[in-house]
C-alpha cells in the first residue's frame, strides 16, 4: 500500500502546466469506439481511470496504445459489446461506454457501475433516455443488458436533472442513430463541449453543446481525427487552493479560466489575487485568508462540486466562519472527518457544512476515501504543522497525474512511499 508523506508549512510558488482533463478524456476514449479508423488523443492524463478505459477498449476488440500523453485507438471492427464486471468495478465512470457501445454495435451488456462513495449515483436518467431511443433494457443479477432490435432512433429527451454522464451517453448514442435527437435540460459542462467538438471534427452533426438544448442529427459514419484533450479545470482549482492555503504564488499554464468563472470570485473573496492572461492563470495570496459567506455547488456554470473539498480545506484556515452547501451529491463530505483529525473545525448538517476557521492545522495520519476528498487532504497537509501521512492513494491517482511531482515542483515537500 502506498502513502503520501507531506511535510507542511512550505509556501508554494512557481509555474506549472495543468494536465489534460480526466472527465473529458474518458468520454473521448469512449467516443473513439464510434470512429472507424485510428483516433489520436493528445494531452491524455496518465491516470488509472484512463488506463482502465484503454483496457475496456482492448476488451471490446480495439487496438489501444498509450505513449506518454498520447493515446491511439484503432476501432476498425470492434468484436465485443460486453464489459466484464472486473473492468466495470475498476472505474465507476465506465458507464460512459454504454452509449458508444450501443451506437457502434446495437447492443451492450455491462454490470452496474455500483454505488459510489459520493452517494447512490443512479443511472436511471441514462436508461430512460436510451429507452426513448429504441433500446430495450433488462436488468438481472446485477447485469444490464441493452439491445435495440430496430436500431437506435433519434428522440426528444428532457432530462429532469442536467446529468453530465447522461448527456454524454445520449450524445454518444445519438451521433450514429437514425434521425434527430434533442436533449432538453442538458448538462452544460465544458467537457460536454469538448466531446461535441471532437465528434463534430469526426463528421458528427451536434449543435448547442454547452447550452441546455443539444441537437444531434444522426450521420452514417465518423472518420478519425487527431484531437487534444481540454485542460483539467478541477486540477486548476486544486492548484488554486494550494496557493491559497500556503500563501503562495502559482502560475498555471494551459488553464482555461473561462471554465472556472464561478470559482475565481470565491478565491478573490478569500483574499487571493487572481489574474488571467491568454492561457495562464496567476494566483497569489499575500493577505490573511478570509472566510466566505456561502458557497453552493451547482451544475455548470455554478461552483463545481468537484472543487468543493479542496476549497473547504483552504477555508478551514480562514478567519471567520464559512458555509458550504453541496447540492449535487448527497454524500460528498467524507473528507470532513479527516480534516477534523488535522485540527479543522467543521460541522456538517445534511448538505450544509459550517467551517469555522482555525489558526493552525496539524499533520496527522489520514485516509482518502474519494478522489477530490483525497486532494483536499493533500491541500490541507501543505499548510499543516508537522507531517501528514495520507493513505488511500488509489483514489487520488484516479484524477491526478503524479500529484507528488506536481506539488514538489512548486516547492512542497511531498513523497510517495510504498510499504
Ligand atoms: C460527472 C463527473 C464528476 C462530477 C459530476 C458533477 C465524470 C467522469 N464525472 O459525474 O466528476 O462530480 O459530473 O459535475 O465526468 N443522477 C441521477 N440519475 C442519473 C444520473 C445522475 O439521479 O441517471 C444524479 C447523481 O446521483 C448526482 C447528480 O445527478 O446526484 C449529478 O450526477 P451527474 O451529473 O450524472 O454526474 P456524473 O456524470 O456521474
Amino acid at each position: 500500500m502506498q502513502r503520501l508523506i507531506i511535510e507542511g508549512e512550505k509556501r508554494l510558488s512557481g509555474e506549472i502546466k495543468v494536465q489534460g482533463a480526466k472527465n473529458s478524456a474518458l468520454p473521448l476514449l469512449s467516443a473513439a469506439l464510434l470512429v472507424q479508423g485510428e483516433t489520436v488523443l493528445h494531452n491524455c492524463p496518465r491516470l488509472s481511470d484512463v488506463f482502465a478505459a484503454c483496457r475496456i477498449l482492448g476488451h471490446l476488440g480495439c487496438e489501444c496504445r498509450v505513449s506518454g500523453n498520447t493515446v491511439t485507438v484503432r476501432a476498425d471492427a470492434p468484436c465485443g459489446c460486453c464489459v466484464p464486471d472486473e473492468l466495470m468495478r475498476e472505474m465507476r465512470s465506465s458507464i460512459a461506454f454504454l452509449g458508444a457501445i450501443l451506437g457502434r454495435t446495437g447492443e451492450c451488456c455491462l454490470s452496474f457501475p455500483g454505488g459510489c462513495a459520493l452517494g447512490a449515483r443512479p443511472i436511471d436518467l441514462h436508461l430512460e433516455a436510451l429507452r426513448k431511443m429504441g433500446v430495450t433494457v433488462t436488468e438481472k443479477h446485477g447485469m444490464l443488458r441493452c439491445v435495440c432490435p430496430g436500431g437506435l432512433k433519434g428522440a426528444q429527451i428532457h432530462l429532469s436533472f442536467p446529468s453530465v454522464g447522461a448527456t454524454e451517453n445520449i450524445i454518444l448514442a445519438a451521433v450514429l442513430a437514425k434521425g434527430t435527437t434533442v436533449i432538453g435540460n442538458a448538462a452544460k459542462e465544458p467537457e460536454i463541449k469538448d466531446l461535441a467538438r471532437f465528434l463534430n471534427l469526426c463528421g458528427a452533426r451536434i449543435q448547442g453543446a454547452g447550452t441546455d438544448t443539444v441537437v444531434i442529427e444522426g450521420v452514417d459514419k465518423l472518420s478519425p481525427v487527431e484531437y487534444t484533450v481540454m485542460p483539467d479545470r478541477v486540477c486548476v482549482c486544486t492548484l488554486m487552493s494550494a496557493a491559497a492555503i500556503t500563501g503562495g504564488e502559482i502560475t498555471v499554464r494551459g488553464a482555461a479560466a473561462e471554465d472556472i468563472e464561478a470559482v475565481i470570485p470565491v478565491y478573490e473573496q478569500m483574499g487571493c489575487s487572481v489574474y488571467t492572461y491568454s492561457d495562464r492563470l496567476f494566483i497569489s495570496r499575500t493577505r490573511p485568508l478570509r472566510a466566505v459567506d456561502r458557497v453552493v455547488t451547482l451544475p455548470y456554470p455554478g461552483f463545481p462540486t468537484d472543487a468543493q473539498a479542496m476549497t473547504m480545506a483552504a477555508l478551514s484556515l480562514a478567519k471567520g466562519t464559512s458555509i458550504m452547501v453541496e447540492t449535487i451529491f448527497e454524500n460528498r463530505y467524507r473528507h470532513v472527518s479527516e480534516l477534523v483529525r488535522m485540527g479543522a473545525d467543521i460541522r456538517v448538517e445534511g448538505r450544509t457544512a459550517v467551517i469555522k476557521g482555525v489558526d493552525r492545522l496539524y499533520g496527522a495520519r489520514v485516509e482518502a476515501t474519494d478522489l477530490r476528498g483525497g486532494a483536499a487532504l493533500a491541500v490541507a497537509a501543505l499548510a499543516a504543522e508537522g507531517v501528514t501521512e495520507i493513505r488511500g492513494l488509489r483514489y487520488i491517482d484516479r484524477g491526478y497525474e503524479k500529484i507528488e511531482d506536481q506539488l514538489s515542483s512548486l516547492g512542497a515537500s511531498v513523497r510517495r512511499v510504498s510499504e
Side-chain angles (χ1 to χ4, degrees):
M1 207 214 317
Q2 296 190 325
R3 293 166 291 148
L4 271 190
I5 307 291
I6 303 182
E7 219 181 288
E9 295 184 294
K10 306 261 190 293
R11 182 176 170 270
L12 263 55
S13 71
E15 188 171 309
I16 186 166
K17 180 179 179 297
V18 68
Q19 68 181 55
K22 166 183 91 82
N23 287 355
S24 185
L26 296 177
L28 289 173
L29 284 165
S30 161
L33 193 58
L34 296 167
V35 180
Q36 276 172 36
E38 194 170 86
T39 298
V40 182
L41 294 177
H42 299 293
N43 202 31
C44 262
R46 292 180 62 84
L47 302 170
S48 49
D49 270 12
V50 167
F51 299 137
C54 291
R55 277 194 290 281
I56 291 178
L57 285 167
H59 180 85
L60 295 170
C62 304
E63 208 184 293
C64 198
R65 283 187 323 248
V66 182
S67 166
N69 290 103
T70 297
V71 180
T72 307
V73 182
R74 181 170 271 286
D76 288 322
C79 55
C81 64
C82 285
V83 183
D85 191 51
E86 60 277 16
L87 284 176
M88 284 300 286
R89 282 179 194 275
E90 245 183 76
M91 181 181 66
R92 293 185 196 279
S93 43
S94 45
I95 193 67
F97 278 90
L98 176 58
I101 297 176
L102 275 172
R104 186 69 194 260
T105 70
E107 60 179 309
C108 178
C109 158
L110 33 82
S111 67
F112 273 96
C116 173
L118 310 182
R121 259 183 146 166
I123 53 166
D124 52 324
L125 301 176
H126 302 236
L127 300 183
E128 200 182 308
L130 292 172
R131 284 191 180 103
K132 284 204 168 145
M133 297 179 74
V135 178
T136 309
V137 182
T138 42
E139 301 167 28
K140 237 186 210 166
H141 309 300
M143 294 296 286
L144 198 66
R145 190 168 161 72
C146 300
V147 284
C148 34
L152 282 163
K153 316 185 287 283
Q156 297 274 336
I157 295 159
H158 183 87
L159 293 174
S160 55
F161 181 87
S163 154
V164 176
T167 304
E168 288 167 349
N169 254 332
I170 300 165
I171 292 175
L172 290 165
V175 280
L176 293 178
K178 284 218 163 11
T180 301
T181 301
V182 180
I183 316 174
N185 197 26
K188 298 186 281 225
E189 267 67 3
E191 292 75 15
I192 309 261
K193 267 166 81 174
D194 210 33
L195 175 64
R197 206 178 297 132
F198 165 78
L199 286 167
N200 283 342
L201 282 174
C202 297
R205 291 204 192 124
I206 306 169
Q207 283 182 341
T211 74
D212 59 8
T213 306
V214 182
V215 180
I216 309 118
E217 224 181 291
V219 296
D220 291 337
K221 183 177 175 255
L222 297 179
S223 309
V225 294
E226 285 198 27
Y227 192 75
T228 301
V229 177
M230 64 178 278
D232 196 312
R233 61 192 172 106
V234 188
C235 290
V236 177
C237 296
T238 309
L239 292 164
M240 289 172 75
S241 61
I245 203 167
T246 64
E249 189 178 288
I250 298 177
T251 301
V252 187
R253 251 186 305 130
E258 65 277 14
D259 291 342
I260 49 166
E261 274 181 3
V263 177
I264 293 173
V266 171
Y267 279 79
E268 286 173 335
Q269 277 174 46
M270 285 161 68
C272 299
S273 303
V274 184
Y275 302 100
T276 60
Y277 173 71
S278 180
D279 74 336
R280 281 171 159 72
L281 180 142
F282 171 82
I283 177 163
S284 71
R285 180 177 67 79
T286 46
R287 287 166 286 174
L289 262 178
R290 288 193 303 257
V292 293
D293 286 347
R294 206 173 141 84
V295 181
V296 182
T297 66
L298 287 169
Y300 191 83
F303 190 92
T305 172
D306 286 347
Q308 176 252 105
M310 52 287 234
T311 303
M312 183 186 286
L315 287 173
S316 67
L317 277 178
K319 191 164 176 47
T321 299
S322 309
I323 306 283
M324 293 194 102
V325 184
E326 171 60 56
T327 74
I328 308 293
F329 290 106
E330 70 268 29
N331 186 16
R332 207 169 194 180
Y333 284 136
R334 288 164 56 116
H335 47 282
V336 167
S337 56
E338 302 301 290
L339 289 174
V340 167
R341 277 176 196 258
M342 298 176 72
D345 181 349
I346 306 171
R347 216 180 56 237
V348 174
E349 275 169 28
R351 288 180 177 249
T352 302
V354 180
I355 306 129
K356 283 192 186 151
V358 293
D359 292 336
R360 255 171 208 289
L361 292 174
Y362 300 96
R365 293 180 82 177
V366 289
E367 175 132 14
T369 51
D370 67 86
L371 163 56
R372 304 304 170 188
L377 300 180
V379 167
L382 294 173
E385 189 183 303
V387 176
T388 299
E389 181 184 313
I390 306 178
R391 288 161 189 265
L393 289 200
R394 65 182 182 284
Y395 293 107
I396 299 179
D397 291 340
R398 285 185 39 214
Y400 296 88
E401 199 176 292
K402 292 205 179 133
I403 193 167
E404 66 278 23
D405 290 358
Q406 293 197 35
L407 295 173
S408 300
S409 75
L410 296 167
S413 166
V414 185
R415 63 202 162 86
R416 181 184 292 254
V417 295
S418 298
E419 257 163 19

